[in-house]
Amino acid sequence: MGRLVEMIRRNNVFHVVLTGGEPFLNFDVLEYALKEFHTSGISTSVNSNLMLATPDKIKRLRNTGLDHVLTSLNSHDPEVNDYMVNKNGAFHRIIQGIKTTIDKGVRVSANMIICRTNKDHIYETAKLCSEIGVQKIFATRLVPSINVENPTETDLQLDREDALNAIDDLLSAQKHFGIEIGTLIGYPLCLLGNLDKYREFVGRGCPAQRGNRMVINADGETHACTHESNSYGNVFDIGIKKAFKNMLRWHDGSFLYQGCKNCQYINVCGSGCRSAAFSYFNEMNEKDPLFVGRKDIKHHYRLDIPSEINRLIDGNESFTVPETIRFRPEKGFYTINIRWANAYAIDNDIAEFLINKRSAKKTITLGNMIGKNPRDELIKLVFKEALVPADPLLKTSLKNCVKKGCSVNPYDLPEIFS
């Protein structure tokens, strides 16, 4: 782990998720890694079922700087949950682990793996999560293992009607309980159809194709996607940069489905889930099993820009670049990191303008903003919190108007809809 931390630090990585298996089984190494990453200014999250969480362990992790855990809760029904994780008593241990973690000041999100077994349990599970203090619930469709010969003949499949029903149940839960919602595996946007109604699910896309993420196993082997078995080299042998370069086909559009290539949302959607396509059709560039075609997109996505942002920008209000914003130069562009795993690509000119303004402790206004359309650039940067008002009172008032986390990247949206 020490060697991995040093490699990750040296390659200017922004965010690390420590997962497993179950990371609490190797608790001392988990604690050591979190401490080292946070000392290096690298933000973290942990994926854990929390069945091994104790007040002392969570306190120790909180003291390293950890502030978020993603856990798994597949149903509000103990019997169904325990069946899906193949462990009797798991439900009650998970619930207790969630309560313990939240009690010690660490945020918890919960992920439901959705299949035929629990597809009707989303609303009630979200209700339970909201009652015990979970911040966000994800309803994530199951990607069958490549070892499953015919997933359509098992309870692993989620058909199009079930998928939309699952999303509708999430929206109802958000409305009734105030809990944040999402999915960890993107849906093809053509399945959603009404992108205004389902705007919470527009920004996920395919993280592996975005070109700013990778998976490193404990033994150093690497993957672009958590669901694939193919390795792109061992970082202990070839390093992180070489392994990442070996993932080029994920990043250059090779895995996009041919039927998606003329869709205006291709950069947002990424043809849905590539690993699901492989599981069902044995080709990475096949269609997502939930694909229906761009003709089914009836209502387009528009950025929901709070009126307060427009008012401040048009009033020539001053903005600053927070010290927490991180930049990394790439080949022909920069990657900007807002917080956690929320990172996206921006033009060199814009990135260097922001870096220079922050270094000189100068403010940015509509009057001195650069770009082909300075107002649009400013709106996107404020919307994503890459810029905040210089006035502390205005900064506080605007804080509740913008969405935190991995929302849609405005730079990927078709211009006519942004």
Side-chain angles (χ1 to χ4, degrees), residues 82-216:
D82 293 358
Y83 163 75
M84 290 186 66
V85 300
N86 196 29
K87 186 174 183 64
N88 291 333
F91 174 85
H92 296 292
R93 293 178 66 186
I94 293 170
I95 294 299
Q96 185 55 54
I98 291 173
K99 291 178 179 178
T100 297
T101 304
I102 294 172
D103 182 62
K104 292 301 175 183
V106 177
R107 297 177 297 114
V108 174
S109 299
N111 182 41
M112 287 184 71
I113 299 297
I114 307 300
C115 60
R116 289 173 179 167
T117 304
N118 67 341
K119 62 186 177 64
D120 298 322
H121 294 205
I122 296 170
Y123 182 85
E124 291 297 328
T125 306
K127 179 182 179 183
L128 170 63
C129 285
S130 70
E131 290 171 347
I132 61 177
V134 171
Q135 178 186 18
K136 186 169 186 174
I137 184 167
F138 299 92
T140 302
R141 55 179 165 141
L142 190 150
V143 175
S145 166
I146 58 173
N147 298 320
V148 177
E149 188 171 333
N150 190 350
T152 61
E153 295 180 0
T154 71
D155 64 356
L156 304 178
Q157 187 185 28
L158 199 67
D159 63 28
R160 292 165 183 166
E161 182 181 357
D162 289 338
L164 286 175
N165 287 338
I167 297 170
D168 284 336
D169 286 345
L170 273 182
L171 288 172
S172 295
Q174 180 189 48
K175 178 180 179 181
H176 296 151
F177 312 129
I179 192 168
E180 296 178 28
I181 60 173
T183 179
L184 297 182
I185 295 178
Y187 293 96
L189 297 191
C190 53
L191 169 76
L192 303 181
N194 186 338
L195 303 189
D196 185 52
K197 175 183 177 181
Y198 296 117
R199 60 175 41 253
E200 297 281 354
F201 304 92
V202 170
R204 180 68 190 179
C206 175
Q209 291 184 89
R210 220 169 267 147
N212 60 13
R213 304 184 191 197
M214 66 187 299
V215 179
I216 304 177

Side-chain angles (χ1 to χ4, degrees), residues 174-381:
Q174 180 189 48
K175 178 180 179 181
H176 296 151
F177 312 129
I179 192 168
E180 296 178 28
I181 60 173
T183 179
L184 297 182
I185 295 178
Y187 293 96
L189 297 191
C190 53
L191 169 76
L192 303 181
N194 186 338
L195 303 189
D196 185 52
K197 175 183 177 181
Y198 296 117
R199 60 175 41 253
E200 297 281 354
F201 304 92
V202 170
R204 180 68 190 179
C206 175
Q209 291 184 89
R210 220 169 267 147
N212 60 13
R213 304 184 191 197
M214 66 187 299
V215 179
I216 304 177
N217 293 353
D219 61 1
E221 296 298 329
T222 57
H223 313 282
C225 172
T226 58
H227 296 284
E228 70 172 333
S229 58
N230 184 48
S231 175
Y232 299 92
N234 192 301
V235 295
F236 293 124
D237 297 328
I238 65 175
I240 287 177
K241 286 186 177 179
K242 176 61 176 174
F244 188 76
K245 286 180 180 178
N246 290 343
M247 300 173 187
L248 178 62
R249 295 195 69 208
W250 278 93
H251 308 150
D252 68 3
S254 295
F255 293 158
L256 295 173
Y257 176 51
Q258 185 65 34
C260 297
K261 290 193 174 179
N262 291 324
C263 178
Q264 62 266 50
Y265 291 101
I266 187 66
N267 291 330
V268 181
C269 178
S271 291
C273 179
R274 300 298 75 219
S275 289
F278 187 83
S279 294
Y280 282 86
F281 304 112
N282 296 312
E283 294 289 345
M284 294 299 292
N285 62 354
E286 255 292 354
K287 64 182 178 182
D288 185 299
L290 297 178
F291 168 87
V292 292
R294 68 178 187 273
K295 67 182 185 304
D296 282 69
I297 298 178
K298 306 297 185 184
H299 298 275
H300 291 287
Y301 182 93
R302 296 184 186 277
L303 277 181
D304 187 14
I305 303 294
S307 58
E308 181 70 1
I309 290 180
N310 289 312
R311 187 186 70 78
L312 293 177
I313 289 174
D314 292 336
N316 213 37
E317 192 60 51
S318 296
F319 296 88
T320 61
V321 183
E323 291 297 327
T324 52
I325 300 297
R326 296 173 286 184
F327 298 89
R328 183 176 62 230
E330 315 281 2
K331 284 189 176 180
F333 65 96
Y334 270 77
T335 296
I336 181 173
N337 176 259
I338 309 302
R339 63 168 65 78
W340 310 319
N342 192 350
Y344 59 95
I346 60 172
D347 291 341
N348 282 334
D349 290 347
I350 299 295
E352 289 167 4
F353 173 77
L354 298 177
I355 292 169
N356 291 335
K357 287 292 185 181
R358 183 170 68 180
S359 177
K361 299 189 182 304
K362 293 183 177 179
T363 61
I364 298 168
T365 67
L366 181 57
N368 65 15
M369 183 62 198
I370 65 170
K372 292 180 181 178
N373 189 325
R375 186 176 185 276
D376 280 0
E377 292 289 351
L378 207 51
I379 286 174
K380 291 173 182 178
L381 291 167

Side-chain angles (χ1 to χ4, degrees), residues 64-90:
T64 69
L66 178 70
D67 75 340
H68 179 259
V69 173
L70 174 68
T71 194
S72 298
L73 186 66
N74 291 318
S75 176
H76 67 283
D77 184 325
E79 185 176 341
V80 172
N81 181 84
D82 293 358
Y83 163 75
M84 290 186 66
V85 300
N86 196 29
K87 186 174 183 64
N88 291 333

